[in-house]
Amino acid sequence: MFRINENYLKLPGSYLFAEIKSRVAKYAAGHPGRELLRLGIGDATRPLAPAVVDAMKLAAGEMGEAATFRGYAPDYGYDFLREKIAEHDYRRRGVAMQPDDIFVSDGAKSDSGNIGDILSADNVVAICDPVYPVYADTNAMAGRAGDYGADGRWDRIVYMPCVPENNFVPELPDRAPDVIYLCYPNNPTGAAAGRGDLERWVGYALERGALILYDSAYEAYVTEPGVPRSIYEIEGAKGCAIEFRSFSKTAGFTGTRCAYTVVPKELVCGAGGGVGAAVAGGAGGASGAMGAGGSVAAGVSLNALWGRRQATKLNGVSYVVQRAAEAVYSEEGRKGCRAAVEYYMENASIILAGLKKAGFSAWGGVNAPYIWLKAPDGLSSWELFDLLLDRAGVIGTPGSGFGPHGEGFFRLTAFSSREDTQKAVERIAAAGLL
Ligand code: MLT
């Protein structure tokens, strides 16, 4: 008799955004004609830049001609795109990067979930609290999270509270984790981590042989000078960190699907199974030298392991989409994407200023397209969700969906239209919540 992966049975409820979708559908069915303003899921609403669309059309034309038709894409992405990423996103910003450190994929959500395939189920994982729910859920699916308690916590996960008092950047945990997820600019709190914060984390990871999984899907939203956009701006990070990047939020590819993950060749499994002690090759071969700790894993290249995983489970990203992603780096493409990011950040300022003026405590919205607000009067996150939906027709995301320390908070996104954003702020202010 077959057996299922029983870890799935431990997962509480549905995936956060699926839960919201179903609650909103139920509400809408009961309130036909009610105008709902969607500031819940962070989904792009601005159209693709014209240069990106032109590149897609051209590539689609090539696919229709025998002479230029392409079959399977290379497993790790076309060289033309990997080269552009290395040059524009790293080298031009002072970070040395080679195209073969970069793996093109369909999304940072899938990569940040799939990365667990190359990590032992025994690893102790640390996550920020609140956090993008994919990190906890995918570790739970892999059996790395233990059991889910009545307190809303997995008993094998180390939770690192991110609260106003620490500017939503966690302290180093007492219980030493093997794998640490960090996301800055942050989803959901909209906070940014400074250089000093990241230096502290990189130092900690190197000292303890831990691996940092750094999600920088929102780097394009940084507006303050000096705020790092990549973990690799920090010395030593290539020896302890993997970085996830996406075209979803930087270029409006939420529906087009293209992202990449950086696994530097310098990143190897260290003595005793930790990270960062030896030298290994790239994705050409997964074997490494036996390290000082005698572990078979010591010296193994994570670049090679991830390459092996991707080559086996992914058939690449379509040629048309990779040409579209390449066009993001053209002069016209950069201008178009920048304009969309600025549009969203103007929305973010409107939300932040409007909430503060109405008397709410609110954070974020300066280096990230998310605004994090405190629910008034001791309301729970879901109570505020229901009240805003009912009184204002505004859909947001309950903070508790991102973790126990998100309880009593609420997230609004800047990804809506200008008109809906302005209307939402006015309606929230008039909802009689304060
Ligand atoms: C969010 O709203 O947190 C994001 O859109 C979800 C995602 O990027 O998958």
Side-chain angles (χ1 to χ4, degrees):
M1 193 171 77
F2 73 87
R3 296 173 57 209
I4 58 162
N5 177 352
E6 292 185 11
N7 293 315
Y8 277 66
L9 304 182
K10 299 181 183 175
L11 294 165
S14 342
Y15 180 60
L16 174 63
F17 295 105
E19 174 69 24
I20 292 170
K21 205 186 255 180
S22 107
R23 289 194 190 208
V24 170
K26 201 167 148 206
Y27 179 87
H31 300 78
R34 174 93 156 109
E35 185 197 39
L36 297 178
L37 306 172
R38 297 173 191 277
L39 279 69
I41 191 161
D43 192 2
T45 55
R46 302 301 298 157
L48 295 173
V52 169
V53 176
D54 289 346
M56 284 174 103
K57 286 184 186 161
L58 198 66
E62 286 180 59
M63 293 297 278
E65 300 288 336
T68 47
F69 170 79
R70 314 267 180 144
Y72 291 123
D75 293 328
Y76 310 144
Y78 281 102
D79 287 344
F80 62 75
L81 180 56
R82 297 169 91 195
E83 180 49 55
K84 287 278 187 329
I85 293 168
E87 174 62 16
H88 288 262
D89 288 349
Y90 294 98
R91 294 199 289 257
R92 286 195 187 182
R93 294 180 184 163
V95 176
M97 191 62 71
Q98 298 302 318
D100 59 0
D101 293 322
I102 292 159
F103 296 84
V104 175
S105 74
D106 70 317
K109 178 181 185 180
S110 26
D111 282 0
S112 61
N114 292 334
I115 198 74
D117 280 12
I118 65 166
L119 301 171
S120 163
D122 296 342
N123 283 309
V124 172
V125 168
I127 58 171
C128 292
D129 173 19
V131 78
Y132 181 41
V134 169
Y135 314 150
D137 285 9
T138 54
N139 277 289
M141 289 169 179
R144 224 175 268 118
D147 290 312
Y148 191 71
D151 61 353
R153 290 178 171 79
W154 295 94
D155 63 5
R156 283 200 77 237
I157 285 187
V158 176
Y159 288 83
M160 306 185 293
C162 294
V163 289
E165 291 73 30
N166 60 15
N167 293 319
F168 306 101
V169 180
E171 278 91 45
L172 302 172
D174 305 335
R175 189 173 144 213
D178 304 302
V179 178
I180 302 157
Y181 286 81
L182 294 176
C183 168
Y184 288 98
N186 188 252
N187 177 14
T189 64
R195 179 168 299 277
D197 297 316
L198 296 187
E199 280 169 355
R200 201 160 41 94
W201 277 104
V202 167
Y204 179 84
L206 288 172
E207 191 187 306
R208 310 222 170 194
L211 174 67
I212 294 176
L213 298 177
Y214 195 77
D215 185 345
S216 69
Y218 299 96
E219 56 83 24
Y221 292 83
V222 167
T223 61
E224 289 182 320
V227 171
R229 289 162 165 243
S230 165
I231 190 77
Y232 304 122
E233 290 176 37
I234 309 303
E235 207 181 325
K238 284 192 178 168
C240 66
I242 287 174
E243 179 161 286
F244 304 104
R245 289 275 187 107
S246 172
F247 293 94
S248 285
K249 310 293 161 67
T250 55
F253 274 45
T254 49
T256 305
R257 309 307 306 149
C258 197
Y260 65 89
T261 286
V262 182
V263 190
K265 291 183 294 301
E266 292 89 329
L267 182 58
V268 297
C269 194
V275 173
V279 180
S287 62
M290 184 84 98
S295 158
V296 288
V300 168
S301 155
L302 272 71
N303 177 289
L305 285 191
W306 183 243
R308 184 71 171 85
R309 192 263 172 218
Q310 292 298 79
T312 307
K313 294 194 177 182
L314 182 76
N315 249 338
V317 174
S318 82
Y319 175 68
V320 175
V321 166
Q322 292 196 57
R323 281 293 186 200
E326 181 194 27
V328 166
Y329 298 102
S330 66
E331 204 181 321
E332 285 307 307
R334 285 207 306 271
K335 259 192 232 157
C337 295
R338 197 66 238 149
V341 166
E342 282 168 6
Y343 178 94
Y344 295 136
M345 287 312 278
E346 179 67 30
N347 285 350
S349 314
I350 291 168
I351 299 171
L352 190 64
L355 290 176
K356 287 191 168 170
K357 190 166 166 222
F360 286 90
S361 298
W363 300 265
V366 175
N367 293 300
Y370 294 119
I371 289 86
W372 189 241
L373 66 112
K374 181 93 189 107
D377 282 341
L379 288 172
S380 76
S381 300
W382 278 108
E383 283 167 348
L384 182 58
F385 175 87
D386 288 336
L387 274 175
L388 284 180
L389 187 57
D390 204 39
R391 290 195 196 166
V394 172
I395 302 162
T397 307
S400 56
F402 297 101
H405 278 87
E407 182 54 279
F409 289 88
F410 199 77
R411 192 194 77 173
L412 294 172
T413 84
F415 286 109
S416 205
S417 67
R418 179 66 39 79
E419 195 192 346
D420 281 6
T421 300
Q422 275 160 342
K423 242 193 260 179
V425 171
E426 284 160 22
R427 289 201 206 161
I428 293 170
L433 292 164
L434 287 164

